[in-house]
Amino acid sequence: MSVLQTPEKGPVIHDWRPEDPAFWGRSGKLTARRNLWISIPALLLAFAVWMVWSTVIVRLNAIGFSFTTDQLFWLAALPGLSGATLRIFYSFMVPIFGGRRWTALSTASLLIPALWMGFAVQDSSTPYSVFVLIALLCGFGGGNFASSMSNISFFYPKSQQGTALGLNAGLGNLGVSVMQFSVPLVISFGVFGFMGGQPQVLADGSSLWLQNAGFIWVPFILAVTLIAWFGMNDLSSARASFSEQAVIFKRKHNWLMCWLYLATFGSFIGFSAAFPLLIKTSFPEVIALKFAFLGPLVGALVRPLGGWLADKLGGAKVTLWNFVLMIVMVFGVLHFLPKGGEGGSFYGFLGMFMLLFITTGVGNGSTFRMIPVIFRTLHEKSALGKKPEVREQALKNAGKESAAVLGFSSAMGAFGAFFIPKSFGTSMALTGGPEMAFYMFVGFYLSCIVVTWWWYARKGAATPC
């Protein structure tokens, strides 16, 4: 075996057999772990840049801008729209370009919106249209998730994909919470000295460095880009053209899993984007940025648990009951909201929303664990009783298709980052409160219970998982 064929050496690996226990124990596990632990901080930064507007919009008007509540919700929603759209393309990039190359390139692209935001907020005459464009460019961070999950799925055997994908996504999702916790801190003082620009003076005479919300990520993006380029690997066995991957559009289960993932990840990322402004508008006496990071934090931390539970109990069973709990938690949130601007309980609202975030995290992990199992089962059935080489090729096809579906379903799920903030904005504009949006979400979750039960969880389901 040549140097390039040795799994732990060289940027390109030509011999990769994660389902072979001897290969996995000898060197495969170490290589997979190294790629996973580099992928995680790259994904964390992607989520931080993607969702940074959820925090910035809370302070924009305080530094001299005069945007309406609906305009601010639009800025929170637009990165979700562009990020979800980019995920459609990013989901097919790893088999075409290689995981190492694409991770480095896509991480480096985060520099564009991070730097531009830092300069734009320093000028109070910056038009709203410029902020719209920067918000759309923050979608680069949203796109990265699809390629990252697709890449990691190639490295791990079926039995460990739920945990591995849960760790990659869960710890990567922490970028939202890390951002919502750290941005209020770094904008309170001149982190970069004279190089970071002048502070903005608030009405009460205090100072704010809102540009640091963008600038703070720049050195980390540069460092992780270099680490990814020199420390990760490309798998030649994962190479596939777009036409080879495009077969997923003919697969019924691709579209069904997109629907379910929109309800789990879409809820997580959509609530994350809307949570700070939702707190501010529903409970104006509360300092929203003191609490906003908690929801994404708990949702991200439990995502690996969702993958682990699905590995142990079955993805469909965990997903089904998780949707039931999501509906319960939505009604809990509604119970503690103010009615007509009066009453309500912020801490009751916060507690129920934390439980809702937990269910979104568990559902994220369990739905993603279902995908590799579904496609492996389909291809194993098609190769049943055929020659060994046919069965081996079927398993390779299952891996490529499940990776493509992981990426594509994440693209569909990411539209939640647009629809949920926009739903809240529209509900408030039409009714004066967010209740109408929550009732719409309940109806959606009910449909997901039906889909999960009929195709995957009931006795006699054609594709149990």
Side-chain angles (χ1 to χ4, degrees), residues 195-351:
M195 293 188 297
Q198 297 299 311
Q200 299 90 43
V201 180
L202 306 183
D204 62 2
S206 61
S207 296
L208 203 66
W209 287 259
L210 196 57
Q211 62 265 33
N212 290 348
F215 290 157
I216 193 63
W217 310 111
V218 171
F220 298 104
I221 292 170
L222 291 171
V224 172
T225 297
L226 293 173
I227 293 170
W229 181 261
F230 292 105
M232 295 185 75
N233 298 102
D234 296 317
L235 300 178
S236 61
S237 61
R239 291 296 176 89
S241 65
F242 175 78
S243 60
E244 289 178 284
Q245 300 175 77
V247 69
I248 68 168
F249 298 122
K250 301 177 182 178
R251 305 294 192 201
K252 170 182 64 180
H253 296 287
N254 170 53
W255 300 106
L256 292 174
M257 292 311 300
C258 285
W259 189 254
L260 299 184
Y261 198 61
L262 177 60
T264 55
F265 178 78
S267 295
F268 167 81
I269 202 65
F271 290 145
S272 297
F275 198 39
L277 198 54
L278 185 62
I279 293 174
K280 183 179 180 181
T281 52
S282 299
F283 300 93
E285 74 281 3
V286 175
I287 301 177
L289 295 185
K290 285 188 175 181
F291 301 96
F293 74 95
L294 293 172
L297 175 64
V298 297
L301 288 177
V302 300
R303 179 162 183 158
L305 175 63
W308 180 82
L309 285 173
D311 281 340
K312 300 297 181 183
L313 304 176
K317 182 185 295 185
V318 174
T319 300
L320 177 68
W321 287 105
N322 190 71
F323 282 131
V324 174
L325 291 175
M326 288 177 74
I327 292 173
V328 173
M329 300 314 161
V330 169
F331 280 113
V333 170
L334 285 167
H335 176 74
F336 289 107
L337 275 173
K339 306 297 189 292
E342 297 181 357
S345 167
F346 171 70
Y347 287 103
F349 165 87
L350 180 66

Side-chain angles (χ1 to χ4, degrees), residues 26 58 91 95 120 163 165 250 253 264 283 400 426 449:
R26 184 176 65 250
V58 177
S91 60
T163 302
L165 292 172
K250 301 177 182 178
H253 296 287
T264 55
F283 300 93
K400 291 179 180 179
T426 301
I449 290 175

Side-chain angles (χ1 to χ4, degrees), residues 137-152:
L137 289 175
C138 283
F140 285 152
N144 286 10
F145 182 81
S147 53
S148 178
M149 296 298 280
S150 172
N151 183 45
I152 293 304

Side-chain angles (χ1 to χ4, degrees), residues 158-182:
K158 171 189 171 184
S159 62
Q160 298 183 37
Q161 284 187 353
T163 302
L165 292 172
L167 284 170
N168 190 52
L171 298 181
N173 290 172
L174 275 177
V176 182
S177 184
V178 168
M179 179 276 298
Q180 290 183 343
F181 176 79
S182 61

